[in-house]
Amino acid sequence: MMKYPLFETENCLLTEIDYEKDLETDSLFTQDLRYARYWCKGIVKPLSKNEMKKTYEKLEKKADESRNKFHFAVRSKVDSQLIGYARFDWVFWNDQCGEIKVAIGHPEYLGKVEQELIEKLTYYGFHELNLHRIDCYISQFEEELDLSLKKVGYLREAIFREAEFFNNKYWDRYVYGILRPSWSQKLEA
Amino acid sequence: MIEKQDILTGEKVRLVPIDAERDSILFSLWHRNSEYSRLLDSDPARQFSSIATKKWIEENELAHDFVSFGIQSIEDGTILGDIGLGDFSGQFTNTFVGLGIGDPQYWGKGYGSDAMRIILRYAFEILNFHRVSLTVFEYNTRAIRSYEKCGFQHEGRLREFLSREGRRWDLLFMGITRYEWQDAFQKMENA
């Protein structure tokens, strides 16, 4: 009956946070400020192991209390090492809408696993969370996500012009969305 | 030298600090009107006690990632709504503006547009933002017209975002950049 595993893609596993192993790896990943952006709510900066621990704890507490956040540490299927994360950042239950985030910190996997992770989160959103629409906000410079979202069937619905400043330049912020009917059509095809 | 200028005063309203004691009662009262709540928020319309509202206001006083004001009528001093900028933690590039005119007798009379022009001036001239954004439900046509009048550009719509009254509605995205605001402001000055 449940024919598709929810927490597994072709190359990745979607798992819980491992406080023993992930702190050091994720802290190292944030040395790349492009990845740090996915963890820092305020000032973008590399996070120490202790700051990372506090960030995990805050995230898990919020997810537990609000029940509208679903976070997965993404690992390689080959050796279980941490790659990044995949997350429903929020869900509006009354409107059946949710927003996904995919963050790749491991340089070898950047540009290689985004599409399968977006596909899996989208599947999870429509078939487990029972949503009507799913959003994804990305920056203009995140070309790998831009391409992957289009391939999965998301439409670019809005452009916040010059809404972000990074690397000495203003960038547009794109909002992508997919509705349940178009996802179902894609599955049938 | 800086010219003395009352940045926070417009033609019909001025923006004043929110007073926890006074405004918590007003905010609770405004939310008794479900139409107001449904124009303002995608959360289910509900009631807030003035005590809970006062606590929330007090907890958020001196916050560093948003700023909010009461909208006060210049004519008679009534607090008729509130307006604020948020979501700018860490960077002063983009901010979202939220605006609510709580007392329906002030709807459609230009008070909101006046408050919006003031907060745009504050966002660009004092806080040095690069752009200001907002979201609005497609059924809030009065607000959309007001935002267009203030210089906001349409930047897209999230299809079927909201579910209310048995149908789905789009969420509209609008924004104004510093350059667009400067153009609009100069035109106003020259008019």
Side-chain angles (χ1 to χ4, degrees):
Chain A
M1 183 197 149
M2 307 289 177
K3 53 183 176 177
Y4 298 112
L6 290 175
F7 304 132
E8 192 179 331
T9 68
E10 190 186 341
N11 297 294
C12 308
L13 297 169
L14 278 67
T15 72
E16 78 291 354
I17 292 169
D18 182 339
Y19 279 74
E20 292 285 309
K21 294 177 187 157
D22 295 350
L23 288 173
E24 184 150 14
T25 315
D26 243 348
S27 168
L28 274 175
F29 285 165
T30 61
Q31 200 61 36
D32 177 355
L33 293 182
R34 193 182 141 111
Y35 181 73
R37 288 168 61 254
Y38 296 117
W39 282 106
C40 299
K41 198 134 176 68
I43 294 165
V44 177
K45 66 183 190 85
L47 299 177
S48 70
K49 273 168 66 177
N50 206 36
E51 286 170 325
M52 205 73 230
K53 182 168 178 275
K54 285 181 184 168
T55 310
Y56 285 171
E57 285 168 351
K58 208 170 154 187
L59 172 73
E60 291 209 297
K61 186 168 182 279
K62 210 163 176 189
D64 190 45
E65 285 171 358
S66 67
R67 302 277 168 181
N68 67 0
K69 210 180 256 297
F70 302 87
H71 178 88
F72 304 100
V74 176
R75 300 178 200 287
S76 154
K77 241 178 177 176
V78 180
D79 53 13
S80 290
Q81 68 172 304
L82 187 72
I83 294 173
Y85 73 71
R87 180 196 298 164
F88 263 90
D89 211 29
W90 52 257
V91 170
F92 288 154
W93 293 113
N94 52 316
D95 293 317
Q96 296 174 288
C97 293
E99 182 196 326
I100 59 167
K101 264 188 177 179
V102 169
I104 304 300
H106 196 306
E108 281 175 30
Y109 288 88
L110 194 65
K112 293 181 182 145
V113 294
E114 286 84 351
Q115 188 181 333
E116 59 193 83
L117 290 169
I118 291 167
E119 246 162 21
K120 188 55 70 175
L121 279 179
T122 309
Y123 186 90
Y124 182 75
F126 287 129
H127 300 272
E128 184 70 8
L129 304 180
N130 195 29
L131 300 179
H132 177 73
R133 70 162 279 141
I134 299 171
D135 303 342
C136 187
Y137 289 63
I138 63 164
S139 296
Q140 188 182 1
F141 58 80
E142 293 173 305
E143 288 161 6
E144 62 288 341
L145 287 174
D146 192 64
L147 197 65
S148 303
L149 284 161
K150 284 177 189 158
K151 281 186 182 164
V152 177
Y154 282 74
L155 282 184
R156 193 190 289 169
E157 296 179 326
I159 300 175
F160 284 142
R161 297 158 303 143
E162 301 189 356
E164 283 189 54
F165 190 77
F166 192 69
N167 250 2
N168 200 30
K169 203 181 152 187
Y170 286 106
W171 303 87
D172 293 343
R173 189 144 183 81
Y174 300 152
V175 189
Y176 277 89
I178 188 167
L179 302 179
R180 178 189 275 275
S182 57
W183 170 258
S184 303
Q185 271 174 14
K186 187 183 147 88
L187 275 195
E188 279 166 22
Chain B
M1 190 177 148
I2 299 170
E3 260 180 68
K4 190 175 182 303
Q5 193 185 6
D6 192 353
I7 291 265
L8 296 176
T9 300
E11 288 170 13
K12 290 169 164 257
V13 299
R14 68 172 68 88
L15 305 190
V16 296
I18 287 179
D19 182 296
E21 190 78 43
R22 175 196 63 197
D23 298 339
S24 55
I25 298 166
L26 282 174
F27 291 179
S28 292
L29 205 64
W30 295 340
H31 276 93
R32 287 191 192 168
N33 178 358
S34 61
E35 188 181 358
Y36 171 72
S37 297
R38 290 170 124 191
L39 290 171
L40 205 65
D41 208 334
S42 67
D43 279 348
R46 63 194 178 108
Q47 307 287 328
F48 303 89
S49 74
S50 58
I51 288 175
T53 308
K54 182 168 177 275
K55 188 165 173 267
W56 185 87
I57 294 171
E58 284 172 346
E59 279 169 2
N60 288 284
E61 285 168 343
L62 302 179
H64 291 286
D65 53 0
F66 74 91
V67 55
S68 48
F69 297 97
I71 303 173
Q72 184 178 50
S73 156
I74 292 174
E75 195 184 353
D76 60 13
T78 308
I79 300 294
L80 48 96
D82 67 311
I83 189 164
L85 303 169
D87 283 347
F88 54 83
S89 172
Q91 272 200 353
F92 279 52
T93 305
N94 179 38
T95 181
F96 278 82
V97 62
L99 162 68
I101 302 294
D103 189 337
Q105 67 168 315
Y106 293 95
W107 289 0
K109 293 178 180 164
Y111 291 94
S113 302
D114 198 31
M116 184 62 88
R117 284 190 205 99
I118 301 171
I119 209 150
L120 286 177
R121 187 165 64 199
Y122 174 72
F124 290 121
E125 291 191 3
I126 301 293
L127 300 185
N128 197 26
F129 278 106
H130 182 66
R131 59 165 279 143
V132 177
S133 313
L134 62 82
T135 57
V136 56
F137 307 134
E138 67 168 314
Y139 55 69
N140 195 351
T141 50
R142 187 174 50 233
I144 294 166
R145 274 197 306 275
S146 159
Y147 302 150
E148 287 166 345
K149 249 176 25 188
C150 293
F152 280 86
Q153 306 294 310
H154 287 270
E155 296 188 314
R157 53 169 65 214
L158 272 55
R159 297 163 297 157
E160 302 183 15
F161 184 88
L162 192 71
S163 174
R164 261 183 187 146
E165 296 284 357
R167 61 159 283 194
R168 301 203 72 96
W169 307 83
D170 294 349
L171 178 71
L172 274 56
F173 280 68
M174 301 179 81
I176 180 167
T177 64
R178 166 180 288 279
Y179 315 116
E180 288 161 353
W181 178 78
Q182 279 166 342
D183 276 355
F185 187 71
Q186 269 166 8
K187 276 179 200 154
M188 274 192 293
E189 292 282 285
N190 296 335

